Amino acid sequence: MTVAPDRPLASEITDILVTHCGLDPDVAATTPAASLEELGMDSLALLELAAVVADRWRVKIPEQAGELSIAGVADLVARRADPPGHTENAVDIRAPLPLVWDITNDVARWTELFTEYAVAEILHRDGDTVRFRLTMHPDENGVAWSWVSERTADPAAREVHARRVETGPFEYMRIHWRYEEIPGGTRMTWTQDFAMKPTAPVDNAGMTARINTNSAIQLAVIKDRIERAYAGGAR
């Protein structure tokens, strides 16, 4: 995103509205919390704003932009101009691939595999595709986050493709699991591609950092639990 380093993005949006859309700068200055509609921006003005923003930052302004303040539009542009989130994390597990595959794809028992899930409820199965609801343990504010996901396993290719059905703060979230045999065990790799909604409490970069941190923790737990199961005679 190209933004002058010494100018807030909201100032650039204001300049666009004044120069291209007929906004009265004094009105904008005295009512900073007003929506674009309250500032008198009609549908033609919003179309012009959308065109300039798309040309300058390659960001699409939604039809509901008139409900946003100038600061809200600036925040939307900043978030959507961020590159989508992408993470890739892997772990080597001292256990045979068939065992790693079976344990990690038994979604109904994920509460025994991950430390973050309190409930894993299977909603529907269709061949190698399963739809399920995950509910996390309550966070520091007592909120137990929950969402529906769907995953399709491909045993022949040794991979799984998953996505969030209820996306919550995400525009989208897609996860690709890969398994490969390595000397002495199995390498399991998680690749996650996602984008955050403009209203999300964290942007793409922030969520990327969170996912990388949490993935390292959960993969270490999974490695330990599977290796213990294998040492205990699981096959």
Side-chain angles (χ1 to χ4, degrees):
M1 179 175 63
T2 303
V3 179
D6 58 341
R7 299 189 66 215
L9 183 54
S11 294
E12 297 203 36
I13 299 297
T14 301
D15 286 352
I16 293 171
L17 289 167
V18 170
T19 303
H20 298 273
C21 307
L23 174 65
D24 184 332
D26 293 332
V27 173
T30 55
T31 55
S35 70
L36 298 187
E37 291 177 349
E38 291 170 338
L39 291 173
M41 299 294 95
D42 58 19
S43 58
L44 290 177
L46 294 177
L47 284 174
E48 183 64 24
L49 171 65
V52 176
V53 167
D55 180 67
R56 186 173 300 184
W57 292 296
R58 300 294 187 267
V59 172
K60 182 178 179 181
I61 295 292
E63 295 180 0
Q64 300 85 355
E67 302 171 4
L68 300 175
S69 65
I70 292 174
V73 173
D75 183 61
L76 183 151
V77 171
R79 288 174 179 270
R80 295 197 172 182
D82 285 341
H86 174 83
T87 66
E88 184 167 314
N89 294 273
V91 66
D92 293 346
I93 303 172
R94 293 190 299 272
L97 192 151
L99 178 64
V100 176
W101 176 273
D102 288 344
I103 291 177
T104 57
N105 285 290
D106 188 357
V107 177
R109 300 184 66 180
W110 273 9
T111 54
E112 302 172 21
L113 189 62
F114 294 80
T115 61
E116 57 190 344
Y117 301 137
V119 180
E121 178 188 4
I122 304 300
L123 303 177
H124 180 71
R125 290 186 185 274
D126 182 8
D128 289 321
T129 298
V130 59
R131 180 169 292 200
F132 53 98
R133 175 174 292 281
L134 293 174
T135 302
M136 302 184 74
H137 294 288
D139 62 16
E140 63 276 9
N141 298 314
V143 178
W145 297 97
S146 180
W147 65 90
V148 173
S149 290
E150 187 174 271
R151 53 193 275 116
T152 300
D154 185 341
R158 297 174 176 174
E159 62 181 21
V160 179
H161 290 276
R163 65 182 181 93
R164 281 202 183 196
V165 177
E166 294 179 356
T167 57
F170 295 91
E171 291 274 7
Y172 62 88
M173 163 60 84
R174 296 188 288 268
I175 308 174
H176 182 201
W177 299 50
R178 303 194 310 275
Y179 302 76
E180 58 182 309
E181 292 180 334
I182 60 173
T186 304
R187 176 167 296 153
M188 183 174 68
T189 304
W190 292 346
T191 301
Q192 293 172 265
D193 291 288
F194 59 90
M196 306 307 297
K197 291 179 179 177
T199 55
V202 63
D203 60 14
N204 294 338
M207 182 56 71
T208 296
R210 290 189 184 188
I211 289 175
N212 278 327
T213 298
N214 189 59
S215 293
I217 294 170
Q218 295 303 316
L219 285 170
V221 170
I222 291 171
K223 169 184 171 69
D224 179 68
R225 293 181 174 178
I226 294 178
E227 289 179 352
R228 286 176 180 271
Y230 182 54
R235 296 292 186 270

